[in-house]
Amino acid sequence: MIPVFEPDIGEEEVAAVADAIRRGEISGSFGESIPRFEEAFAAYCGCKYGIAVSSGSAALHLAVAALDVKPGDEILVSASTNIATALAAYHNNLVAVPVDSEPRTWNLNLDLIENLITSRTRAIIAVHLFGHPVDMDRLSAIAKKHNLIVIEDCAESHGATFRDRKTGSFGEMGCFSFYANKIITTGEGGMIVTNNSKLADKLKLLRNLGFTTPRFRHETAGYNFRMTGYQAAMGLVQCNKIDKVIAEKIRVAKTYDKFLGNVRGLQLPAPSANGRHVYWMYGVVVQPKFGMSRDELQERLREAGIDTRTFFCPMNLQPALQKQTGYRPIECPVAESLWKSGFYLPSSHTLSEKTIRDIAETISAIAKVGKTIVTA
Ligand SMILES: Cc1ncc(COP(=O)(O)O)c(C=O)c1O
């Protein structure tokens, strides 16, 4: 089976992790690896401060916890995303209000934001879905007009740019995941980047149970969201490879574009109009013209030894969120249709041109047979 993704972890990472463990960097905030990784990754994003945490979900949770908001306030979120984005609001007693998707980029539709704002709306979490950068000029202007704080969910967009600026550097905070399938990985892990020194201090305090002096007396109810030193040591090695990984991701996407361009009824990922899409995963949408449902195509690909994943179930359809007090039922027809008809293909940056061509040819062959059956 060709997997949807295979992590690329080499001997350098193994050696760095082993060295960090030998130095005792196994828990707490000991050693140099965490501050070095924070500094290197924040600088890569064009930000002053990095706060390493235990996951992308923890990064989002902490970013929302650091806001000056009260229970029942609302946060707009991209409808099509991993539930972690909305849970960051939910677990902070705030209501996540989904913003439907845009059919071309699959990112949140900026035209819909102003109609969703109420007197309780405080912030917006915009997801750069699959590595496609959101139009941050427009989003920042809307947020400024309505006094909303912008948090960027960059779990899938390491190194993506909008007008030559990296995602994560536009909002008040940018939240990254270093889960195994992300552009760079620490196994589990995440980071918040920001240019706001007060927020950086607050985030560090919240990450570490609110520890200050005297030790064991706590003014702030924090969390243990710490990353370990040996994860940070791996992150540092991965950080040095990030531009190479992104170049390979773009190569993979362009190769798929070349071989799938002529398949009727398959919507391919749109390139970014004003920035760099990093194609974390290569997503496609199966249109009626394809002659077969998304589920059927996925099943046929699985039989041919090609693993795929569906797009996200949108936040307006999540039973877990619907039970919350203050929940707002919002229709998101585009995100719902993406959930029914979108899926992503194997997207490891190590995929060869031949493998990509084989996958594309399998899809073309399935399309031809499927159409014969439909018309027979
Ligand atoms: C858009 C998005 N946000 C948040 C997360 C959560 O990150 P993590 O799995 O590191 O908690 C993920 C992915 O896994 C994601 O894709």
Side-chain angles (χ1 to χ4, degrees):
M1 185 73 86
I2 304 171
V4 283
F5 180 77
E6 256 177 332
D8 185 19
I9 295 156
E11 286 308 311
E12 222 189 320
E13 283 86 346
V14 173
V17 170
D19 286 350
I21 292 172
R22 285 190 197 100
R23 289 194 301 271
E25 297 181 10
I26 57 167
S27 60
S29 314
F30 303 112
E32 281 307 303
S33 298
I34 295 169
R36 282 183 60 208
F37 180 42
E38 289 175 333
E39 202 181 314
F41 190 72
Y44 177 78
C45 297
C47 287
K48 286 191 194 148
Y49 311 101
I51 298 90
V53 290
S54 50
S55 67
S57 305
L60 288 158
H61 184 114
L62 218 57
V64 174
L67 301 179
D68 199 7
V69 290
K70 53 180 193 316
D73 282 347
E74 293 173 3
I75 300 198
L76 300 171
V77 299
S78 300
S80 183
T81 184
N82 181 303
I83 197 167
T85 317
L87 288 180
Y90 182 92
H91 288 310
N92 280 294
N93 298 314
L94 306 174
V95 176
V97 176
V99 183
D100 198 9
S101 314
E102 199 271 324
R104 194 185 78 85
T105 63
W106 309 330
N107 276 328
L108 79 175
N109 187 338
L110 301 176
D111 292 337
L112 303 176
I113 292 179
E114 296 199 270
N115 276 338
L116 292 168
I117 294 172
T118 69
S119 57
R120 289 183 301 280
T121 316
R122 298 285 171 262
I124 178 154
I125 309 181
V127 180
H128 305 286
L129 198 70
F130 303 134
H132 190 134
V134 169
D135 181 338
M136 292 310 293
D137 282 351
R138 273 196 71 203
L139 180 67
S140 307
I142 297 166
K144 194 168 169 204
K145 183 172 159 200
H146 296 278
N147 205 15
L148 302 182
I149 295 156
V150 174
I151 297 173
E152 294 175 71
D153 183 339
C154 307
E156 305 175 358
S157 73
H158 314 58
T161 58
F162 180 76
R163 293 200 197 287
D164 293 330
R165 240 173 95 181
K166 298 259 170 53
T167 56
S169 69
F170 293 88
E172 199 62 34
M173 291 171 272
C175 299
F176 290 84
S177 163
F178 303 122
Y179 179 69
N181 67 8
K182 295 306 187 289
I183 286 175
I184 62 167
T185 183
T186 57
E188 297 281 356
M191 199 181 293
I192 306 154
V193 295
T194 182
N195 283 311
N196 181 325
S197 65
K198 281 208 178 99
L199 264 181
D201 289 345
K202 190 168 178 186
L203 291 164
K204 282 182 184 161
L205 193 68
L206 286 170
R207 158 182 77 178
N208 192 25
L209 291 169
F211 267 109
T212 48
T213 45
R215 197 166 173 78
F216 300 128
R217 187 176 166 277
H218 300 259
E219 294 281 350
T220 306
Y223 307 86
N224 175 0
F225 283 167
R226 296 184 298 256
M227 177 183 269
T228 66
Y230 62 86
Q231 287 174 295
M234 177 167 166
L236 264 172
V237 177
Q238 289 264 305
C239 219
N240 290 331
K241 298 180 173 175
I242 189 165
D243 282 327
K244 214 177 122 236
V245 173
I246 290 168
E248 291 300 309
K249 286 278 190 197
I250 294 171
R251 173 192 63 79
V252 167
K254 296 297 156 204
T255 312
Y256 271 126
D257 282 350
K258 182 170 81 180
F259 292 122
L260 289 174
N262 290 330
V263 180
R264 243 169 70 88
L266 216 52
Q267 182 190 346
L268 307 183
S272 169
N274 290 301
R276 174 169 80 161
H277 189 330
V278 290
Y279 301 96
W280 167 61
M281 291 288 167
Y282 189 86
V284 295
V285 169
V286 183
Q287 297 166 324
K289 270 183 294 186
F290 187 80
M292 182 185 287
S293 73
R294 186 273 315 267
D295 289 357
E296 208 180 337
L297 175 57
Q298 272 193 296
E299 181 53 26
R300 301 284 279 278
L301 286 170
R302 210 183 59 76
E303 286 161 12
I306 298 164
D307 201 12
T308 60
R309 290 281 182 287
T310 66
F311 280 10
F312 293 116
C313 175
M315 296 308 105
N316 62 313
L317 297 184
Q318 296 290 351
L321 302 176
Q322 289 167 356
K323 293 171 200 146
Q324 189 184 21
T325 311
Y327 166 77
R328 278 176 64 192
I330 308 281
E331 285 185 11
C332 299
V334 178
E336 287 179 29
S337 130
L338 292 173
W339 155 235
K340 286 192 200 111
S341 58
F343 73 111
Y344 52 84
L345 294 167
S347 301
S348 305
H349 60 268
T350 48
L351 283 183
S352 69
E353 167 146 353
K354 182 185 173 308
T355 306
I356 298 169
R357 193 181 57 223
D358 288 349
I359 294 169
E361 281 173 359
T362 307
I363 293 173
S364 301
I366 293 171
K368 279 192 195 114
V369 174
K371 276 178 195 116
T372 314
I373 291 167
V374 168
T375 52

